[in-house]
């Protein structure tokens, strides 16, 4: 028995050492110089993979830690401002496949990003904030800031891309013109006939100018072209017709459908960026075949320009199009960043955010949730510590294969977390005895146990239902839940007061505390009072705010004790009124409810100060 124990311990140690020998790992570093080539390779790897692990690093964080008593709504409201303020400098993507016997085949990529304003439009970011502690941590891990700033890949979100196309005025052939449902008016008919006549004369002039003619006729045709406003577009004659409304543009496009096979209409967007059409450019091709060739050239050119505009978002679009399950270690934090930088600005409500995100990434699996499934009560700060914990407490060997041996790592390897996530995921599945992929009728499906664990966007949740309803956990390791309506925040007590002391004072102060209740200190300045009987929290608030308060409660109020409901905490999260102490933050939230107009005017000058780190804005450099 002792021999078996020592043998297992040796296997654990050997497994841990083999994992920590990262010098043999190959992680492809991608910058602007090799982005196009890497994108083609990544597309192939994503197509053949079962899962896609992602990891990212940003320039800082201004939100406090998500706590057990946070709902999905308050957790989202905490993270939302930080996702907008700070920027991504590194995004790791690792498509991987699961083979038999807990084997992984992984293809890791590290993308260096920098939000460069290549279009001179103030996008993707005119400026962003940094925190020195985050930058120092990245530097210790071997992050190359020079390569990031000079060769980092830029990007635009989907919303920014649409706006950029409008501002640039990208002209593309008009396909499948839908005829207006409203009958043409007399003014419409006059306008169409006038434009038809103008196009007919212009087309005839362009056609005749190429035939043998006298010098006088050439001069007349040239003058006629000038009068008609003829131009050149890709060595072909073109005519630009200004329009006063979208209705006029629509009428021209409808008229040209059956007018001639050699005319190609190109709507010209307004330069104001309003999304309206300011003109219709008509290009005369040599023949119908030449027109088709021009259409293909324009479509190819537009696609190339769109790739330049999208930049790194091409990677996000590839992941989204694959519909493969995405593996993350902190899904709410990662997904708010992805949505903010690559999809659109974050919506105000968490339900809108989840709905929008799931259209792009229908299955997001948070490994924090799976870690809770193994019954771990230990607080793990990151992916390496989670792997170390599993290696020391469970025997679950995982064979990790990285076929891309052509990648060469120079110096320290940065961005291993996506690769570590693959390893951690397979190890958790092995411990929980889950086969990640199930094959039915020749098709691969996500295992039911994993299917039920997707899209849990709450870092402290222990169940799917818990992340969706309003019940919260007040204690980290206590599964007993309570409704937000039965929670009261209390502050203003003497420094050094413990939760037990505060509970004894409350119990003897009023009959409300004759039933079951609990007290938990959130920080040195604030506590949470939990009532396990419905309605007592409201009674307590009413008594504390009543002019007829008496006895020990009145003495507490005289000493400076204040109380408020959970809705005030929600308001605090929504407005981002963070101070070093929760009590000060709640005070500001209460003030905002009374002086909403005044507070809104001051919010821009009061930044978030949860951490002591200096916050650097690039505008100040």
């Amino acid at each position: 028995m002792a021999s078996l124990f020592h043998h297992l311990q040796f296997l654990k140690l050997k497994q841990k050492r083999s994992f920590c020998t990262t010098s043999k790992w190959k992680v492809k570093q991608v910058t602007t110089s090799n982005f196009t080539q890497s994108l083609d390779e990544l597309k192939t790897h994503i197509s053949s993979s079962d899962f896609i692990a992602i990891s990212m690093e940003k320039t800082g964080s201004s939100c406090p830690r998500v706590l057990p008593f946070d709902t999905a709504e308050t957790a989202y409201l905490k993270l939302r401002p930080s996702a907008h303020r700070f920027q991504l400098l590194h995004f790791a993507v690792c498509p991987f496949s699961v083979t038999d016997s807990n084997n992984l085949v992984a293809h890791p990529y590290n993308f260096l990003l920098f939000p460069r304003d290549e279009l001179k439009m103030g996008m993707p970011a005119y400026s962003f904030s940094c925190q020195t502690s985050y930058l120092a941590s990245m530097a210790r891990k071997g992050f190359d800031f020079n390569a990031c700033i000079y060769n980092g890949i830029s990007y635009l979100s989907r919303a920014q891309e649409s706006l950029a196309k409008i501002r640039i005025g990208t002209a593309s052939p008009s396909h499948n013109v839908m005829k207006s449902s409203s009958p043409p008016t007399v003014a419409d008919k006059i306008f169409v006939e006038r434009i038809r006549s103008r196009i007919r004369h212009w087309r005839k002039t362009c056609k005749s100018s190429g035939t043998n003619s006298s010098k006088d006729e050439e001069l007349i045709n040239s003058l006629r072209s000038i009068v008609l406003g003829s131009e050149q577009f890709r060595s072909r004659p073109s005519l630009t017709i200004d329009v006063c409304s979208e209705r006029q543009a629509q009428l021209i496009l409808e008229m040209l459908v059956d007018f001639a096979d050699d005319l190609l209409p190109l709507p010209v967007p307004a330069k104001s960026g309003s999304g309206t059409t300011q003109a219709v450019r008509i290009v005369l091709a040599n023949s119908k075949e030449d027109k088709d060739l021009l259409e293909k050239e324009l479509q190819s050119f537009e696609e190339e320009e769109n790739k330049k505009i999208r930049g790194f978002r091409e990677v996000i679009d590839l992941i989204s199009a694959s519909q493969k399950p995405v593996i993350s270690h902190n899904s709410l934090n990662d997904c708010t960043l992805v949505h903010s930088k690559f999809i659109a600005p974050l919506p105000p409500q968490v339900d809108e955010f989840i709905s929008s995100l799931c259209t792009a990434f229908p299955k997001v699996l948070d490994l924090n949730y799976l870690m809770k499934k193994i019954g771990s009560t230990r607080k793990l700060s990151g992916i390496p510590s989670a792997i170390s914990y599993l290696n020391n407490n469970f025997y679950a060997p995982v064979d990790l294969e990285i076929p891309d041996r052509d990648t060469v790592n120079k110096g320290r390897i940065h961005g291993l977390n996506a690769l570590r996530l693959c390893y951690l995921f397979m190890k958790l599945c092995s411990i929980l005895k889950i086969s990640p992929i199930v094959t039915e009728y020749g098709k691969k499906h996500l295992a039911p146990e994993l299917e039920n664990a997707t899209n849990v966007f709450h870092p402290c949740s222990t169940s799917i239902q818990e992340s969706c309803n309003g019940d919260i956990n007040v204690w980290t390791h206590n599964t007993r839940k309570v409704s937000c309506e039965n929670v009261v925040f209390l502050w203003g007590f003497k420094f050094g007061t413990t939760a037990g002391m505060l509970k004894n004072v409350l119990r003897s102060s009023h009959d409300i505390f004759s039933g079951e209740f609990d007290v938990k200190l959130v920080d040195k300045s604030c506590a949470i009072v939990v009532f396990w009987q419905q309605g007592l929290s409201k009674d307590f608030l009413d008594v504390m705010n009543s002019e007829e308060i008496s006895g020990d409660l009145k003495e507490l109020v005289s000493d400076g004790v204040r109380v408020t409901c959970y809705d005030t905490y929600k308001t605090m999260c929504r407005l981002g009124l963070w101070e070093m102490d929760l009590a000060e933050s709640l005070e500001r939230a209460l003030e905002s409810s009374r002086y909403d107009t005044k507070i809104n005017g001051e919010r821009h000058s009061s930044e978030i100060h949860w951490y002591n780190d200096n916050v650097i804005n690039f505008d100040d450099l």
Side-chain angles (χ1 to χ4, degrees), residues 117-311:
D117 185 9
E118 296 178 346
L119 301 176
K120 309 301 179 185
M121 295 183 181
M123 297 186 298
Y126 179 72
S127 64
F128 57 88
S129 298
C130 295
Q131 278 184 331
T132 54
S133 62
Y134 273 73
L135 301 184
S137 175
M138 293 172 68
R140 285 193 297 268
K141 296 175 184 176
F143 187 79
D144 189 341
F145 285 96
N146 286 326
C148 173
I149 294 172
Y150 292 107
N151 297 312
I153 308 161
S154 189
Y155 54 86
L156 288 184
S157 68
R158 293 177 183 176
Q160 289 170 334
E161 180 189 1
S162 300
L163 181 60
K165 287 181 178 180
I166 292 173
R167 290 183 181 178
I168 293 173
T170 305
S172 58
S174 181
H175 299 284
N176 302 323
V177 178
M178 300 294 294
K179 290 190 175 182
S180 175
S181 57
S182 59
T185 63
V186 175
D188 291 341
K189 293 179 180 179
I190 295 174
F191 173 78
V192 170
E193 288 305 316
R194 179 168 61 85
I195 299 301
R196 188 194 304 273
S197 176
R198 181 181 172 186
I199 295 174
R200 184 183 292 115
H201 287 301
W202 166 74
R203 181 172 179 272
K204 181 179 179 181
T205 300
C206 294
K207 291 286 187 181
S208 61
S209 62
T211 60
N212 294 327
S213 57
S214 64
K215 293 183 177 180
D216 292 339
E217 289 179 344
E218 289 180 3
L219 178 60
I220 293 172
N221 287 332
S222 297
L223 292 173
R224 186 176 297 164
S225 297
I226 294 173
V227 173
L228 290 174
S230 183
E231 304 166 345
Q232 288 288 316
F233 181 82
R234 290 180 176 255
S235 72
R236 298 173 178 84
S238 69
L239 176 67
T240 300
I241 301 174
D242 294 326
V243 295
C244 299
S245 64
E246 292 297 319
R247 173 68 174 173
Q248 288 186 350
Q250 178 70 15
L251 290 171
I252 294 174
L253 295 177
E254 290 178 7
M255 180 263 292
L256 289 173
V257 170
D258 301 321
F259 186 84
D261 291 337
D262 53 3
L263 296 179
L264 179 65
L266 302 174
V268 180
K271 295 182 179 179
S272 62
S274 59
T276 59
T277 304
Q278 72 174 18
V280 177
R281 177 182 288 123
I282 301 170
V283 183
L284 175 62
N286 297 326
S287 61
K288 186 178 185 304
E289 291 74 18
D290 185 45
K291 174 187 173 182
D292 294 338
L293 177 63
L294 178 59
E295 282 185 317
K296 291 180 181 179
E297 289 178 0
L298 291 176
Q299 290 171 6
S300 177
F301 174 77
E302 183 181 8
E303 182 59 30
E304 289 300 317
E305 289 299 306
N306 288 342
K307 284 183 178 180
K308 293 179 183 178
I309 292 174
R310 290 192 291 265

Side-chain angles (χ1 to χ4, degrees), residues 331-504:
S331 61
L332 184 60
N333 185 52
D334 289 348
C335 290
T336 51
L337 282 168
V338 170
H339 193 288
S340 172
K341 307 306 177 188
F342 306 117
I343 300 178
L346 290 168
Q349 302 297 329
V350 65
D351 292 341
E352 298 174 31
F353 159 71
I354 293 176
S355 176
S356 175
L357 181 75
C358 287
T359 58
F361 306 100
K363 296 178 181 179
V364 179
L365 185 60
D366 194 331
L367 293 194
N368 276 326
Y369 177 76
L370 287 184
M371 283 293 293
K372 292 182 175 65
K373 288 290 185 180
I374 65 173
S376 171
T377 59
R378 180 181 173 184
K379 182 181 177 181
L380 303 173
S381 58
I383 301 172
S385 62
I387 293 175
S388 177
Y389 172 79
L390 296 183
N391 281 337
N392 291 331
N393 292 274
F394 299 93
Y395 176 66
V398 174
D399 184 16
L400 178 61
E401 178 186 354
I402 306 173
D404 306 320
R405 296 299 180 186
D406 58 327
T407 304
V408 178
N409 293 314
K410 297 179 180 180
R412 285 182 294 177
I413 306 173
H414 175 261
L416 293 176
N417 275 350
L419 194 56
R420 289 181 177 126
L421 279 176
C422 306
Y423 181 90
L424 178 61
F425 169 74
M426 198 62 233
K427 202 165 188 65
L428 285 169
C429 288
S430 177
I431 294 170
L432 295 171
K433 302 188 184 306
I434 298 174
S435 178
I437 295 297
V438 178
T439 303
E440 293 180 352
Y441 307 106
K443 294 184 178 181
K444 291 183 176 181
H445 300 281
L446 195 63
E449 298 90 342
L450 298 180
E451 190 78 46
N452 294 331
T454 58
N455 302 335
V456 183
F457 296 106
H458 193 315
C460 299
S461 293
T462 56
S463 67
I464 301 295
Q465 293 76 15
E466 187 180 313
S467 69
C468 300
N469 59 31
D471 292 345
I472 57 175
N473 287 341
V474 179
W475 291 268
T476 305
H477 306 311
N478 191 333
T479 58
R480 190 176 183 184
K481 295 180 288 292
V482 63
S483 172
C484 296
E485 298 176 354
N486 296 331
V487 170
V488 173
F489 288 88
L490 184 148
W491 67 95
F493 45 82
K494 295 179 180 179
F495 179 78
T497 303
T498 65
M501 294 166 58
L502 196 56
K503 186 174 182 179
N504 290 332

